[in-house]
Amino acid sequence: MRVLTRALKAGSWVTSERLVAYPIIFLTLEVVVMGVGALLGAGINNALGGQPVGTDFLSFYAVSTLIREGHASAAYDLEALHAAQQAIAGPDSPFYGWLYPPIALLVVAPLSMLPYGLSLVAWLVLTGAIYVSALRRILPQPRALLPI
């Protein structure tokens, strides 16, 4: 146990290769788990507990739907938002709140122009690209650590 504790404290096991490899491994596992859950689920709900694939993305998509239907202010009405979520994911859908300022409505407005699954993939790809771009600017040697 002491050897493990010393190794963790020393940090010598943290290498640039591992800083690249571990996130890729975990991202791959997440994609596989989400994919299996989505494929075995019913509609947009996964088989791993019956929650919508993307869980709280349902809130973003429901708000986008409300905006498209001309009811943007309903994003802040808990009952109306939950009803919109249930219309998308079914009557047993859990509630996911919209906790963002009104300006954020502009960001999510286009999401419901695509079907839920495609919209989720587009959202994950776009936000993932933004995340990687930010990492490349923050890290001291981004090209060495992030070969993308």
Side-chain angles (χ1 to χ4, degrees):
M1 187 66 169
R2 288 183 182 174
V3 173
L4 177 63
T5 304
R6 267 189 251 131
L8 289 173
K9 285 182 181 179
S12 59
W13 56 276
V14 178
T15 64
S16 60
E17 293 82 16
R18 288 180 176 169
L19 287 174
V20 171
Y22 290 169
I24 291 171
I25 291 168
F26 288 122
L27 177 61
T28 302
L29 288 172
E30 178 67 21
V31 168
V32 168
V33 169
M34 282 183 65
V36 167
L39 291 174
L40 298 177
I44 69 164
N45 294 318
N46 68 32
L48 308 172
Q51 294 181 341
V53 174
T55 57
D56 59 346
F57 177 76
L58 177 61
S59 175
F60 292 23
Y61 194 82
V63 167
S64 175
T65 302
L66 290 169
I67 293 168
R68 189 172 35 82
E69 294 172 349
H71 306 291
S73 63
Y76 299 98
D77 178 339
L78 301 181
E79 290 177 13
L81 179 57
H82 194 206
Q85 292 172 3
Q86 289 173 322
I88 295 164
D92 295 330
S93 173
F95 175 71
Y96 298 99
W98 175 254
L99 307 173
Y100 304 95
I103 193 74
L105 297 172
L106 295 172
V107 175
V108 300
L111 292 175
S112 68
M113 294 172 70
L114 295 171
Y116 184 88
L118 289 175
S119 184
L120 175 60
V121 168
W123 178 259
L124 292 174
V125 167
L126 178 63
T127 57
I130 293 168
Y131 175 71
V132 168
S133 175
L135 283 181
R136 290 176 61 109
R137 285 170 174 75
I138 293 170
L139 294 174
Q141 297 176 349
R143 305 236 186 268
L145 295 176
L146 298 172
I148 323 175

